[in-house]
Amino acid sequence: MSVHFLEVESTDVDASALGLLLDAPAPPVLAQLVIETVDGALTLGVLGASHVVTARSQGEVLTEQVSCDAVAAGGDPLPRVEVVGPYEFESTTETVDRAEFDTAAIRLKGRASEEGWICGAFPGDESALTVLSGSSAGQGWAWQSWHLYPGEGTGVIVKTSSRWNP
């Protein structure tokens, strides 16, 4: 894949506003990557408000939305850990100095050319990114996301890791 330079302002500008919403209809995406296997598909979608993932396997479907809209739509504030049946989720939030932040953004943009990766770049700051990667995992799927929030002299990186094996 590649970096998708998005022509819209991000509506997700504050890491503390992120939430997690499961099994709701997927909102429209700005960019997406579909990974298919004989047993299912994983759709990684970049939103103006962060990301949505739809996983399909063996006739089952799971939708994960991590966004600033998730709480208002019935989700919960972003947890550090969430386990619901065969679904596992973890998140970390880290504030780093701007040099480290920009280095992380460059590294993640570089990974966007790899199979199973997608990157959405937002206008206003070349380090304002939403990046996702995914792969099949047994009979299910595993995926990660990085949400980069640039600031004055620092930046906030929210990383999530999810696994679903129905």
Side-chain angles (χ1 to χ4, degrees):
M1 283 291 100
S2 63
V3 176
H4 296 266
F5 293 96
L6 305 170
E7 300 281 333
V8 299
E9 291 292 324
S10 172
T11 59
D12 175 15
V13 295
D14 184 357
S16 66
L18 287 175
L20 174 65
L21 176 62
L22 298 176
D23 293 326
V29 298
L30 300 172
Q32 75 177 12
L33 171 66
V34 179
I35 303 167
E36 295 181 300
T37 66
V38 296
D39 294 327
L42 182 69
T43 303
L44 306 173
V46 176
L47 304 171
S50 286
H51 85 251
V52 64
V53 173
T54 302
R56 300 177 192 286
S57 181
Q58 304 180 41
E60 301 288 326
V61 178
L62 172 93
T63 302
E64 170 195 276
Q65 183 182 154
V66 172
S67 76
C68 63
D69 296 332
V71 174
D76 295 313
L78 194 68
R80 289 194 182 268
V81 175
E82 180 87 12
V83 177
V84 179
Y87 170 78
E88 300 173 14
F89 174 89
E90 293 181 17
S91 72
T92 60
T93 301
E94 182 179 18
T95 301
V96 297
D97 69 50
R98 189 57 195 242
E100 184 178 347
F101 181 81
D102 289 339
T103 299
I106 290 166
R107 180 182 53 81
L108 287 166
K109 279 185 195 175
R111 305 276 323 254
S113 63
E114 297 178 25
E115 187 174 332
W117 285 73
I118 186 171
C119 175
F122 293 91
D125 191 305
E126 62 186 26
S127 295
L129 307 174
T130 296
V131 181
L132 297 119
S133 71
S135 62
S136 61
Q139 295 180 351
W141 298 97
W143 60 94
Q144 296 181 308
S145 74
W146 295 262
H147 304 269
L148 279 68
Y149 301 90
E152 185 83 22
T154 64
V156 177
I157 301 171
V158 177
K159 181 181 179 202
T160 71
S161 297
S162 303
R163 183 176 210 73
W164 180 62
N165 283 304

